[in-house]
Amino acid sequence: MHSNRDKEEMDSGGEIEGVGDENEFPSSAVRGRKYSPVVAHDSDRAVLEMSSIDPRSSSSPYSKQDLKKGKVNMQPDVASEGSMPNHSVNGPQRESKLELFGFDSLVNILGLKSMTGDQIQAPPSPRDGGDVSIALERPRPTAVKSGTLMGVFVPCLQNIMGIIYYIRFSWIVGMAGIGESLLLVAFCGSCTFLTTISLSAIATNGAMKGGGPYYLIGRALGPEVGVSIGLCFFLGNAVAGAMYVLGAVETFLDAVPAAGILRETVTRVNGTDIAPITRPSLHDLQIYGIVVTILLCFIVFGGVKIINRVAPAFLVPVVFSLVCIFSGILLARNGRPAAGITGLSSGSFKDNWGPAYQRTSNAGIPDPNGKIYWSFNALVGLFFPAVTGIMAGSNRSASLKDTQRSIPIGTLAATLTTSALYLVSVLFFGSVATRDKLLTDRLLTASIAWPFPAIVYVGIILSTLGAALQSLTGAPRLLAAIANDDILPVLNYFKVVDGGEPHVATFFTAFICIGCVVIGNLDLISPTITMFYLLCYAGVNLSCFLLDLLDAPSWRPRWKFHHWSLSLVGALLCIVIMFLISWTFTVVSLALASLIYYYVSIKGKAGDWGDGFKSAYFQLALRSLRSLGASQVHPKNWYPIPLIFCRPWGKLPENVPCHPKLADFANCMKKKGRGMSIFISIIDGDYHERVEDAKAACKQLSTYIDYKQCEGVAEIVVAPNMSEGFRGIVQTMGLGNLKPNIIVMRYPEIWRRENLIEIPATFVGIINDCIVANKAVVIVKGLDEWPNEYQRQYGTIDLYWIVRDGGLMLLLSQLLLTKDSFEGCKIQVFCIAEEDSDAEGLKADVKKFLYDLRMQAEVIVISMKSWEGQGEQQESIEAFSAAQGRIASYLGEMKERAERDKTPLMADGKPVVVNEQQVEKFLYTTLKLNSTILKYSRMAAVVFVSLPPPPANHPAFFYMEYMDLLVENVPRLLIVRGYRRDVVTLFT
């Protein structure tokens, strides 16, 4: 056979061309595969291509190649088979230094890239007879990467130092007092600090992609949890953008009162004092807020480059405004720069130490008739957004030089810096002004700033607008990252192709932001943001807790300052804060996340990310397996673990891995779907030659199991023949007490009709192997007529309980009754008694036994003595006569062959001993049993009968005749043999 070999060679210009030639391959080479060497750069010499050819073909020699600039055309020399002393199947010997390792010789760059998760397209294998032209793109110039300072610390600082500090923090100090304000800052700061520890651990456990915390949580806790928390975090960012916009607009209207279109005056009553207070109108906030949101969206549509150029400009006003605020605090004197300012005073410190919770209006102005009563819990919800923003660095992981170093250091530094700033500010604000000034002057930071209050106004506006811009930039990209994972088809509209801008997601984010701006109340928006952020922080902590507790081999974070107890405390702290803020908001947010989780689990596509839950299931299974040990399972804890033998006999239509009704029967052996089935099929042949066929068959069988909604796994075994394959399976399948305990297979009804003469020996060998291996056996006859879940059956389930089987037959009949198709049936137990036994006493004993087993069944005792007087069924007599004739003919041939060869009687390759009287007795007993079944159970839904063991030293052909006579004319029969263990018990 001739085949074309395409040789490829790379050049720096990025184009590859191959010219094929025909060579004769010797048949003595590697069978079944053709390996074509790919001549590349020195670092990629080990990249080999493989394509399928005829087993008779092998590798051929190839000649030296001329390297040219730009494009390389290869014209291999056609050489004879013996003219290749310096070449091997791996290429020239001078280039292959590690021939001992064959085709898995060297680690190449392509393999290393695939480990990082990058989508590197491997060179396709050329088809025989065709030329190859592959265009390799030039390496794209890498984007400018940020370091720890500008990439993590500054973004986190900008997001944390937001509107709450400038226009609400002094008011919080006045409401809660210095003592509880310190507790508030420590309480909320410890939550974000522990979350930062967990975030650092997960972020240093491998490379990160887009999506920020969604990517981390989803890869740790699974796609369902990741999408549910990710969407909530997206909503939190979108609502946060509205909060920052409202803060900027409110600051602007306070700084420039003339800009207000509709201002309103509120009368404050404090004892006998009446003071009018002018504040921005709600409609002013709405109008300006919508305009500002639209302008920010135009900037966002300009792309990341414009945003990155504008963002650093927001940092300088923030730092300068902080310097002005603290300068003003240090230089303040009594009555300067405004009434109510005392300067740093111990008297103010003492007066403001305790809390002063009271009712306020919607604007936060103290009012005895106000609608809002403030408490410590409510202040937690108001202040917590001031410590959020720790995810800003992880959101920019794609633009960092070293994520595993920058994220922990930058995020932790920003968290500690801002927490220290808040603690110091509590002491300064509580000591510099009276309580009344703290509660009424919403912009105390601007009033006290030195030298110019306007600088603080500019700093507040620019910092809040910058934070709003970051929120409107990050939220659409988070939504696009969720959509690009292709978990929820409903999010396909937000997908981004080839790293483009998420315009549709930006429109959707702007819509949400404008809707929140219309609400216009900053104090109502901030608790909503708090809940969504806390859900995300709890998810990060739980992710770290689960991964650290499982301690899988892949869990090797570089950040060592973490422990599962810290993550657990962080997660619990997040949940506690949620309930402290508001039970209503907590229930609503958890319900929303649960609803998304449920929707993703039903409608979402499967995404196997190697999440922690799957690792937890695996470790739980290992621990459970070890705890079970190898001791005998108690009958109360016994579960059927069937080994389904898929295709032992006959042929099925093409592309059908096993009998269509086999999975339906396997489901009938489970109670409410619990338990596991193992579907086994054996492929005859050599393992090395048929391993690919086995993989394809296993995939096909797994698809069949999933389609039938049967809890089970598929296994394909390659063996020289069916008998050896089954013998290996029955010895090795399973671990500990999780080994299959029931062998389920079809009865070979077609063996005589199809003249499959090898079936009797194989069938008997399998049954003997099961007996030796102490496995129960269930043989199904009439599988074609087995009902599915929608076909209701009526009548009886008849059990011919002949030998003690540990209650397996009784248990299987009870499992059938739990299925919808058999729930309308009743059980009848037929006991075959000896001639001299007490039939009535046996019946009473069986009834008592069934009563203790909680089984409702009618008991019928049939004495062997009554067999003599009953007339056999005509079809049974005909089958009996036919079996007698075939056995006599087979026995005659055995005797004739033995006399001719001067050997003992031989059958199935081994000597046998035939007692003709015993054979007749077996046939007669089987005839009587078949006649009894046809007499009493002709209309039964299912018939159970005990499986007789194969007689020792009898030909397998004889045993098949006994079995054929037993199952003759019975449409649906289960032949059951126990395994000398009780599977039911009388006791609780």
Side-chain angles (χ1 to χ4, degrees), residues 604-800:
K605 298 180 181 179
D608 187 7
W609 296 337
D611 54 85
F613 280 126
K614 289 184 173 59
S615 179
Y617 298 152
F618 182 77
Q619 291 205 19
L620 181 62
L622 292 180
R623 293 183 181 180
S624 301
L625 182 61
R626 291 196 299 267
S627 64
L628 284 176
S631 59
Q632 182 174 338
V633 178
H634 193 275
K636 288 192 297 184
N637 302 323
W638 188 88
Y639 279 87
I641 306 178
L643 181 71
I644 313 296
F645 209 8
C646 291
R647 300 183 65 175
W649 331 116
K651 297 180 180 180
L652 290 172
E654 292 296 329
N655 300 323
V656 178
C658 69
H659 195 284
K661 294 294 185 69
L662 204 53
D664 295 330
F665 176 74
N667 280 329
C668 292
M669 303 182 69
K670 304 172 185 177
K671 186 176 182 180
K672 297 180 181 179
R674 297 192 183 104
M676 182 183 68
S677 301
I678 304 176
F679 288 77
I680 285 290
S681 188
I682 297 175
I683 297 179
D684 296 339
D686 182 76
Y687 175 71
H688 296 281
E689 294 180 354
R690 306 210 61 182
V691 60
E692 296 298 330
D693 298 334
K695 292 178 181 178
C698 186
K699 183 177 181 180
Q700 191 179 31
L701 186 56
S702 298
T703 304
Y704 163 80
I705 297 172
D706 295 338
Y707 171 74
K708 284 292 187 176
Q709 297 181 350
C710 181
E711 290 187 359
V713 296
E715 294 289 345
I716 303 296
V717 175
V718 180
N721 54 64
M722 187 183 299
S723 297
E724 292 188 17
F726 182 82
R727 192 167 292 120
I729 290 170
V730 80
Q731 293 181 78
T732 60
M733 186 63 64
L735 293 172
N737 270 326
L738 290 183
K739 291 183 178 180
N741 46 33
I742 301 178
I743 309 300
V744 179
M745 57 184 172
R746 297 172 57 198
Y747 183 78
E749 304 172 49
I750 63 171
W751 75 276
R752 185 181 295 110
R753 184 173 66 250
E754 300 289 342
N755 194 28
L756 302 175
I757 58 175
E758 75 282 354
I759 283 184
T762 305
F763 183 74
V764 172
I766 288 177
I767 295 178
N768 284 327
D769 290 341
C770 293
I771 295 174
V772 173
N774 200 26
K775 305 290 185 184
V777 182
V778 176
I779 301 174
V780 188
K781 193 260 181 181
L783 193 59
D784 294 332
E785 290 79 26
W786 193 263
N788 57 34
E789 56 181 333
Y790 305 109
Q791 295 174 328
R792 295 300 182 95
Q793 302 296 306
Y794 301 95
T796 61
I797 299 175
D798 293 350
L799 281 63
Y800 285 84

Side-chain angles (χ1 to χ4, degrees), residues 390-404:
I390 60 176
M391 300 295 179
S394 62
N395 290 336
R396 303 186 179 196
S397 57
S399 61
L400 297 177
K401 294 179 181 178
D402 187 357
T403 58
Q404 300 188 24

Side-chain angles (χ1 to χ4, degrees), residues 259-527:
I261 302 174
L262 300 170
R263 296 188 66 83
E264 60 183 8
T265 302
V266 178
T267 301
R268 174 178 174 266
V269 179
N270 185 10
T272 59
D273 297 333
I274 299 177
I277 298 176
T278 303
R279 69 177 188 183
S281 170
L282 176 63
H283 300 295
D284 286 344
L285 294 177
Q286 293 170 341
I287 294 172
Y288 279 100
I290 293 174
V291 173
V292 171
T293 302
I294 294 175
L295 293 177
L296 291 176
C297 288
F298 277 112
I299 299 176
V300 172
F301 275 109
V304 179
K305 292 183 179 180
I306 296 179
I307 297 172
N308 289 338
R309 291 174 182 174
V310 174
F314 295 130
L315 179 62
V316 175
V318 171
V319 175
F320 192 65
S321 64
L322 291 175
V323 173
C324 292
I325 291 172
F326 283 98
S327 298
I329 292 175
L330 296 175
L331 298 177
R333 295 291 183 268
N334 191 11
R336 292 186 302 166
I341 302 299
T342 64
L344 294 177
S345 165
S346 59
S348 299
F349 183 88
K350 294 178 181 179
D351 294 339
N352 295 330
W353 176 260
Y357 297 116
Q358 54 189 295
R359 293 185 179 275
T360 67
S361 64
N362 289 335
I365 303 301
D367 187 354
N369 300 319
K371 299 180 180 180
I372 303 176
Y373 180 79
W374 291 94
S375 63
F376 183 82
N377 297 357
L379 290 182
V380 171
L382 178 62
F383 174 72
F384 192 81
V387 296
T388 60
I390 60 176
M391 300 295 179
S394 62
N395 290 336
R396 303 186 179 196
S397 57
S399 61
L400 297 177
K401 294 179 181 178
D402 187 357
T403 58
Q404 300 188 24
R405 184 179 186 275
S406 297
I407 290 179
I409 297 177
T411 307
L412 190 61
T415 303
L416 294 177
T417 300
T418 52
S419 297
L421 178 65
Y422 286 139
L423 292 174
V424 173
S425 297
V426 169
L427 300 176
F428 279 7
F429 287 155
S431 304
V432 78
T434 63
R435 174 126 21 209
D436 187 70
K437 184 66 175 179
L438 293 174
L439 292 176
T440 55
D441 192 350
R442 302 293 296 272
L443 278 170
L444 179 66
T445 53
S447 300
I448 205 172
W450 182 87
F452 305 110
I455 296 178
V456 176
Y457 282 98
V458 173
I460 294 173
I461 294 173
L462 290 180
S463 65
T464 51
L465 289 181
L469 185 64
Q470 294 294 337
S471 297
L472 292 176
T473 304
R477 281 154 180 78
L478 175 60
L479 183 61
I482 300 174
N484 287 339
D485 277 339
D486 202 21
I487 300 297
L488 277 181
V490 72
L491 299 179
N492 289 340
Y493 298 103
F494 304 114
K495 283 186 175 180
V496 177
V497 182
D498 296 333
E501 292 294 328
H503 296 304
V504 179
T506 303
F507 271 118
F508 184 67
T509 306
F511 175 78
I512 296 176
C513 186
I514 291 175
C516 295
V517 167
V518 171
I519 297 176
N521 193 334
L522 194 65
D523 297 330
L524 291 179
I525 293 177
S526 57

